[in-house]
Every structure is written in structure tokens, then in C-alpha cells.
């Protein structure tokens, strides 16, 4: 009998679900034992349910091919087989809120990639290197849900991971104003070029709901736990534009920043390169050894060269230079389905296990 924690994937047939499954292959702490999806996939083997829609660049892991997919709505049945679940379900916001709470109430921790609970007062939204102290909210959430071990934890939007880590690294210089334009890969919409041929040689200047998330979620990450909820930070002011570009994986951000203090370029780069957090301190299995790399070449970071830095768990920053109107400007890059989605949730689960929030049932 394996001493690994038994994991279920809710929404396991979609792109983020597939990324969860590929990242968890041979994971030292976690083992995928259950996959749940929509009723139309239930009863089929995972291989049959996905069919020709496997979107990862690595083959489907052998260990999951013959797992019979369960109906994600059979909450008690799915929960009875696992220690915790990752959630990547494709439903309406209200349906997601309800089903994730239903799983939590079966005493099953839910680590979610979805946005539905990101603004629920007592649900922690965490990037493990940036704001792990927000997991303090879990005790308040358990009181509300009436659970002993069941809770929901979420990760933030994929687009903010390419620039928010830099803002945290530069906190001591007190950023006051941030203008960011993100150039977002099509896998962020759960698509490949095969599914979305009209994206080839094309740019779409609108991604529904993305700009509000990109402007507000960093302020929640920077907030403090006060009376069982997050008091959102009021600074820096952040304004964004979010654009879909013909790239498979990797969200790039072009960012302008003003600071209250006036750091030098050397101070800013040193702060990036020295920045680390609990995942590095605890040597978690998926943690990048160096969370943020700074690239000196003028033509970096590039998606083609840098998106898989630290197996997709690291963040790349480059082109830091003084601006005519702002203090500094830079370009950031992160892997949107690894660091920005499934991988960020896996790293969160590793930290939750290390801190005793996720245990065997």
C-alpha cells in the first residue's frame, strides 16, 4: 500500500485537468487514484473519455489510462476514495462555488484552479512564495463550513504570475503605480491551435473578465488577514490590458512601475534574484530552486527559450530599464498552465501538506 496521499482530479478531462495529470505522474507525495468529470465522460476509461483531445506535449501517463472516470456530481462517492482533490471543473461560477463547498463538507480539502472562490472572504488565495500566511484563513473557513479537515484553497489568475512576483520582490521600494499589458497564450483559454485555428497569425484585444482580475487579485495577495478575512491592499494602483496572442504556452507582461523609494537598477535586480519563499526553504518537490531569474540579454525573456524555466515553475524577468515618464519598465514571463494554473495548485498542495493542512483521511 502506497503511503502517498490519494488524489482526485475534478474536471480531469479538460486542459488544466490534463496538466494536473501530467505534473502528478511519479509525484513523490501524491498519487492520482480518481478522476471525475461531466456525466458524458462518466463510466468511460480516462483514455476513452479524452479520446483525441489529449493536449499535453508529453504522452498520457500509463497509470491513468484505465482509470474509470466518475461523475463529478457524485460527491460522496468521489470523496470517499481520496485524501484531497484538485478542482479544474468547467461549470458556471455559482455551480463551482457549490460543488467545491460540497466536497469540502465531506472533509475533503479542495485545492482549486478555478476563480469562483477567489473573493470568498475566508478562502485563501495563495502563491506559495508570496503570501503563505493567508492559509490562516482556513481555520475560520472550517468554522463556517462546520468541518474538521475539509476546506477550499485557491490560486490566483494565471496572467498576474508574470509580474506580481516582481512587485513582491520590490515591496521594500514601495511600488505606487503599475501599468501592465499581458500577452496571453491560447492554452489559457483551454485551447490549442488545432482547436482554435483562427488564432494563427492573429491577436484578439479582449479576454473576458481578465483585466479586472489582473488589477484586483495582486492587491488581495498583498493584503493582510484581519478578523478572519483579507483586508485588501490599497497600493499600488494597478491598471492592465490583456491581449490574446498566437502562442501556445506562456503569458508575457510588459510593465511600467513607479516607486515611492527610488531604487537603482542593481538594487532591483538583486532583489529579484535573492527573492525566495517557504517552498524554497522547505525544499518542496515542485519548488523552483530559484523562483525569479533575471535575464541580461535585450531579447529575453522569450517564450521559445524561457517558458519552461525551472520546469515551468519559475518566473523570468528581463529588459529592466529606466522610463521617460515612469521610474522603471520591464518584461516578465511565466508558464500559464504550470506556474499559472495546475502547477501553482500542485505547489500549493505541497505547502498545505508540509504545514499539516492536508493529511491522510
Amino acid at each position: 500500500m502506497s503511503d502517498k496521499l490519494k488524489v482526485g482530479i475534478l474536471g480531469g478531462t479538460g486542459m488544466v485537468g490534463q496538466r494536473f495529470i501530467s505534473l502528478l505522474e511519479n509525484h513523490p507525495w501524491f498519487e492520482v487514484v480518481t478522476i471525475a468529470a461531466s456525466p458524458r465522460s462518466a463510466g468511460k476509461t480516462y483514455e476513452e473519455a479524452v479520446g483525441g483531445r489529449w493536449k499535453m506535449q508529453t504522452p498520457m501517463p500509463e497509470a491513468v489510462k484505465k482509470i474509470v472516470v466518475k461523475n463529478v456530481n457524485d460527491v460522496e462517492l468521489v470523496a470517499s476514495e481520496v485524501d484531497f482533490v484538485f478542482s479544474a471543473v468547467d461549470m458556471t461560477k455559482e455551480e463551482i462555488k457549490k460543488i467545491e463547498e460540497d466536497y469540502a463538507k465531506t472533509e475533503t480539502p479542495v485545492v482549486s484552479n478555478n476563480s469562483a472562490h477567489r473573493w470568498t472572504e475566508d478562502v485563501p488565495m495563495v502563491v506559495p512564495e508570496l503570501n503563505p500566511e493567508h492559509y490562516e484563513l482556513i481555520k475560520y473557513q472550517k468554522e463556517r463550513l462546520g468541518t474538521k479537515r475539509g476546506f477550499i484553497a485557491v490560486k490566483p489568475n494565471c496572467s498576474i504570475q508574470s509580474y506580481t512576483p516582481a512587485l513582491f520582490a520590490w515591496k521594500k521600494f514601495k511600488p505606487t503605480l503599475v501599468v501592465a499589458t499581458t500577452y496571453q497564450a491560447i492554452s489559457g483559454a483551454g485551447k490549442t491551435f488545432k482547436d482554435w485555428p483562427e488564432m494563427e497569425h492573429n491577436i484578439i484585444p479582449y479576454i473576458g473578465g481578465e483585466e479586472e482580475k489582473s488589477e484586483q487579485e495582486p492587491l488581495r495577495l498583498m493584503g493582510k488577514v484581519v478578523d478572519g478575512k483579507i483586508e485588501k491592499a490599497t497600493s499600488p494602483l494597478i491598471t492592465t490590458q490583456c491581449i490574446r496572442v498566437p502562442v501556445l504556452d506562456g503569458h508575457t507582461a510588459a510593465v511600467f512601475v513607479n516607486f515611492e523609494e527610488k531604487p537603482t537598477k542593481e538594487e532591483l535586480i538583486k532583489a529579484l534574484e535573492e527573492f525566495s519563499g517557504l517552498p524554497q526553504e522547505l525544499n518542496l518537490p515542485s519548488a523552483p530552486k530559484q523562483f525569479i531569474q533575471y535575464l541580461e540579454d535585450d531579447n529575453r525573456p522569450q517564450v521559445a527559450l524561457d517558458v519552461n524555466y525551472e520546469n515551468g515553475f519559475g518566473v523570468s524577468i528581463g529588459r529592466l530599464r529606466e522610463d521617460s515618464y515612469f521610474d522603471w519598465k520591464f518584461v516578465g514571463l511565466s508558464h500559464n498552465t504550470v506556474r499559472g494554473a495546475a502547477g501553482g495548485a500542485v505547489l500549493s498542495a505541497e505547502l498545505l501538506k508540509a504545514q499539516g493542512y492536508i493529511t491522510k483521511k
Side-chain angles (χ1 to χ4, degrees):
M1 180 70 184
S2 169
D3 58 0
K4 291 182 183 182
L5 290 170
K6 293 185 288 187
V7 177
I9 312 289
L10 311 181
T13 57
M15 180 172 267
V16 175
Q18 291 177 25
R19 179 67 74 183
F20 272 121
I21 280 163
S22 64
L23 287 172
L24 292 168
E25 185 179 16
N26 303 317
H27 192 282
W29 294 0
F30 306 145
E31 182 179 2
V32 177
V33 298
T34 298
I35 301 169
S38 66
R40 69 178 176 274
S41 295
K44 299 175 183 173
T45 65
Y46 185 66
E47 191 174 27
E48 290 166 346
V50 171
R53 294 180 297 109
W54 180 254
K55 298 179 181 184
M56 300 296 103
Q57 287 160 320
T58 52
M60 183 184 291
E62 289 296 326
V64 300
K65 286 183 176 179
K66 302 305 177 199
I67 291 177
V68 175
V69 177
K70 292 187 168 52
N71 184 338
V72 73
N73 300 306
D74 291 340
V75 176
E76 295 285 345
L77 175 63
V78 175
S80 70
E81 298 185 346
V82 299
D83 296 310
F84 76 101
V85 295
F86 288 112
S87 176
V89 290
D90 182 14
M91 298 175 170
T92 67
K93 188 171 181 176
E94 291 311 312
E95 287 170 337
I96 292 169
K97 275 187 167 180
K98 182 179 186 306
I99 201 165
E100 289 184 349
E101 283 206 357
D102 288 347
Y103 273 93
K105 286 174 180 174
T106 68
E107 301 294 0
T108 305
V110 178
V111 182
S112 179
N113 182 68
N114 296 304
S115 64
H117 275 294
R118 285 184 195 153
W119 291 92
T120 302
E121 283 188 342
D122 55 14
V123 171
M125 178 174 74
V126 169
V127 174
E129 286 89 350
L130 305 186
N131 61 323
E133 69 280 4
H134 287 193
Y135 285 141
E136 291 171 33
L137 288 177
I138 289 170
K139 66 185 175 193
Y140 301 102
Q141 186 190 150
K142 286 176 175 176
E143 285 170 17
R144 174 175 64 85
L145 295 176
T147 58
K148 289 188 168 58
R149 73 187 294 283
F151 63 86
I152 301 160
V154 301
K155 46 149 293 300
N157 191 44
C158 52
S159 71
I160 73 170
Q161 318 268 347
S162 50
Y163 58 92
T164 303
L167 301 181
F168 271 77
W170 294 335
K171 222 183 229 181
K172 62 186 172 189
F173 306 120
K174 300 178 183 171
T176 57
L177 176 62
V178 176
V179 177
T181 300
T182 55
Y183 302 89
Q184 300 186 204
I186 64 172
S187 58
K191 303 279 181 68
T192 65
F193 287 108
K194 183 181 166 190
D195 312 321
W196 204 359
E198 59 267 37
M199 268 310 301
E200 291 192 37
H201 314 294
N202 193 19
I203 283 175
I204 297 176
Y206 174 71
I207 305 171
E210 202 77 358
E211 284 159 7
E212 183 187 6
K213 293 173 190 173
S214 299
E215 293 168 356
Q216 295 301 314
E217 289 184 17
L219 299 175
R220 190 169 199 252
L221 295 182
M222 293 171 183
K224 292 187 171 71
V225 179
V226 179
D227 298 329
K229 59 187 179 186
I230 297 298
E231 200 171 85
K232 191 177 78 170
T234 55
S235 180
L237 298 175
I238 302 173
T239 182
T240 66
Q241 292 195 94
C242 299
I243 296 170
R244 188 74 72 194
V245 295
V247 164
L248 179 60
D249 293 316
H251 287 355
T252 300
V255 188
F256 298 78
V257 194
N258 275 344
F259 295 97
E260 192 174 309
E261 307 290 328
K262 298 303 174 189
T264 65
K265 182 174 181 177
E266 290 70 28
E267 287 174 323
L268 290 168
I269 292 172
K270 186 169 186 272
L272 292 173
E273 292 181 336
E274 292 181 353
F275 187 77
S276 67
L278 265 181
Q280 288 71 37
E281 194 181 307
L282 297 171
N283 197 26
L284 298 178
S286 300
K289 293 289 179 274
Q290 184 167 339
F291 178 32
I292 304 172
Q293 69 167 344
Y294 183 76
L295 298 159
E296 295 281 357
D297 292 354
D298 284 343
N299 65 349
R300 304 280 286 277
Q302 288 183 31
V303 169
L305 300 175
D306 303 308
V307 74
N308 290 313
Y309 167 63
E310 290 278 16
N311 298 314
F313 283 87
V315 175
S316 300
I317 304 289
R319 296 211 71 210
L320 178 66
R321 61 220 192 274
E322 289 186 88
D323 183 63
S324 311
Y325 300 98
F326 287 78
D327 292 335
W328 294 93
K329 54 191 172 186
F330 69 93
V331 174
L333 171 67
S334 59
H335 196 304
N336 57 295
T337 66
V338 181
R339 168 56 73 169
V346 169
L347 189 59
S348 296
E350 291 172 1
L351 182 55
L352 287 161
K353 176 193 182 296
Q355 294 186 318
Y357 289 104
I358 295 177
T359 55
K360 277 193 172 291
K361 275 186 180 173

